Amino acid sequence: MTRILVIEDEPQMLLGLRDNLELEGYEVQTAADGEEGLAKAASFGPDLVILDVMLPRKNGFDVCRELRARSNTTPVVMLTARSAETDKVLGLELGADDYVTKPFSITELLARVRAVLRRTASPKPAAEVVQIGDIEVDLTLHQARRDKARVDFTAREFELLRYFVQHTGQVVTREQILNEVWGYEEFPTTRTIDNFVAKLRQKIERSPHAPEHILTIHGSGYKFVG
Ligand code: CA
């Protein structure tokens, strides 16, 4: 569950933010001043901090500065009370990821929160194990099995298979395959591609002459179907 820490001293605002964020499915903790906010940023380990600028016991700028000084890279969305350009610029310079100017609509804030979380999320690893017909292929371990038996691929065959899987359902030309799988520094002919495709079909297709997975698209190239 994505965790959000809200640091805000106005009780009504704090309650409203908490309720709306929880409705969106976030796990929320709150702090009512800057010191408490810093402590909770450490103990709660949030995925994002919503940070008011005007706070007792340590203002939002100082909180943000201290977070970054502690090498805490948690994304921060600042709530600036004034529309003064200097507040926004200062917040961003101190390491905030975005800001929303009060008064704001909750819809706008939620959209900003989602956008910042999306932007800062670590990329999800691609699917690592894929099923192709009766073969199970582990794209990271470079292993494939049919029932319990191993199916062996050369490194290049595996790269080609991975390329097909990553472009499932798309028509890819031989030139694209050459550039992406072989790279510009090598100069195989398009005929090489066809030979490799034939070898892949021998290994993954039930009947290589009537392929169900690596289809030839005449005049274009190939299309992989999972
Ligand atoms: Ca305030």
Side-chain angles (χ1 to χ4, degrees):
M1 203 185 225
T2 304
R3 300 167 159 219
I4 296 186
L5 171 63
V6 185
I7 310 176
E8 163 67 84
D9 60 318
E10 291 162 54
Q12 287 305 317
M13 175 75 86
L14 194 59
L15 271 178
L17 287 174
R18 165 181 231 147
D19 287 351
N20 279 285
L21 289 163
E22 284 179 348
L23 272 175
E24 290 290 301
Y26 298 115
E27 184 180 343
V28 182
Q29 281 202 10
T30 60
D33 65 62
E35 291 288 358
E36 189 192 356
L38 274 174
K40 288 215 171 153
S43 62
F44 179 46
D47 298 294
L48 182 139
V49 177
I50 296 176
L51 176 60
D52 188 30
V53 169
M54 306 292 277
L55 287 171
R57 290 181 71 206
K58 191 158 274 179
N59 72 39
F61 294 131
D62 290 338
V63 170
C64 192
R65 186 185 291 121
E66 284 196 30
L67 278 178
R68 297 304 183 236
R70 296 174 185 183
S71 302
N72 184 322
T73 57
T74 309
V76 171
V77 175
M78 296 204 86
L79 306 178
T80 65
R82 291 156 287 175
S83 57
E85 246 354 84
T86 48
D87 272 15
K88 300 172 190 170
V89 172
L90 183 56
L92 296 176
E93 275 181 357
L94 291 174
D97 295 83
D98 204 352
Y99 58 84
V100 176
T101 306
K102 288 182 177 178
F104 54 83
S105 73
I106 191 69
T107 318
E108 183 195 356
L109 178 68
L110 291 174
R112 295 294 184 96
V113 164
R114 274 195 299 271
V116 169
L117 283 171
R118 228 180 4 250
R119 208 166 67 216
T120 53
S122 37
K124 286 198 179 62
E128 290 171 355
V129 178
V130 293
Q131 190 76 34
I132 303 169
D134 56 356
I135 296 192
E136 191 179 84
V137 182
D138 188 318
L139 292 175
T140 45
L141 293 180
H142 283 207
Q143 286 176 359
R145 291 177 185 282
R146 178 185 280 115
D147 297 326
K148 294 267 183 280
R150 251 181 77 167
V151 182
D152 288 315
F153 295 93
T154 66
R156 188 72 82 187
E157 285 167 358
F158 213 93
E159 284 309 309
L160 180 57
L161 181 60
R162 186 210 300 273
Y163 182 78
F164 277 133
V165 169
Q166 285 170 341
H167 295 81
T168 298
Q170 299 171 20
V171 176
V172 290
T173 65
R174 290 178 178 78
E175 285 69 28
Q176 283 174 316
I177 295 173
L178 276 181
N179 291 338
E180 299 293 330
V181 181
W182 270 261
Y184 291 96
E185 69 280 7
E186 295 173 70
F187 301 97
T189 64
T190 49
R191 182 78 201 135
T192 312
I193 308 281
D194 296 338
N195 289 337
F196 269 86
V197 166
K199 283 186 219 160
L200 270 189
R201 280 175 173 158
Q202 294 289 343
K203 293 179 182 180
I204 71 165
E205 297 284 358
R206 245 185 321 205
S207 50
H209 295 291
E212 297 166 76
H213 300 294
I214 304 176
L215 313 180
T216 300
I217 306 296
H218 290 289
S220 305
Y222 294 102
K223 179 159 104 175
F224 179 79
V225 182

